Amino acid sequence: MDVNKLLFRVHNDVRGNLVAIEEEKDIPFQIKRIYYIYNVMEGAVRGLHAHKSLKQLLICIHGNCKVLLDDGKEKITVELDNPNLGLYISNAIWREMSDFSSDAVLLVLASEHYDENDYIRDYKEFLQFVKESEDK
Ligand code: TYD
């Protein structure tokens, strides 16, 4: 599965911690957009989609949450519970974010601007997309 857990270097001293992330160096794409999710209602599940070409990096910079990843063949769940842990998600991966702690802030770095046409929101369509990509 084309996903990767990345541990970023923490610049730690007596004043506290700092993590720096540089595009195409620490993560494998140029950052065109960032967004963040917070104040998530208990029990809420977000995501429930895949992207045709978008690549993203998720970091839970405060609190914790879980991410289910599915490439159409296998499913894995990754817990994001550390501000220096990044989860790289390539395109064509179904994702579901859940189990947000009430204090969770999920930061997302994205390789493209927002484009609703890049979304696959139907799971059956997603499986079809994976199959068609393989047939090419
Ligand atoms: P949505 O895709 O439902 O979020 P999630 O992936 O967490 O389930 O997005 C929520 C709303 O925000 C929806 O109306 C689209 C809008 N939105 C933007 O305008 N720009 C963005 O970059 C993103 C990710 C969402």
Side-chain angles (χ1 to χ4, degrees), residues 33 36 49 62 84 91 129:
R33 171 169 56 111
Y36 41 93
H49 63 255
H62 196 257
N84 78 329
N91 61 312
F129 181 82

Side-chain angles (χ1 to χ4, degrees), residues 103-116:
D103 60 350
V105 181
L106 181 64
L107 174 69
V108 183
L109 313 180
S111 66
E112 302 296 336
H113 294 148
Y114 180 70
D115 175 10
E116 188 54 41

Side-chain angles (χ1 to χ4, degrees), residues 12-31:
N12 162 262
D13 61 39
V14 286
R15 300 166 300 165
N17 295 346
L18 182 153
V19 173
I21 298 168
E22 297 192 8
E23 61 181 11
E24 291 185 316
K25 214 167 141 190
D26 301 301
I27 60 169
F29 57 82
Q30 286 189 340
I31 301 161

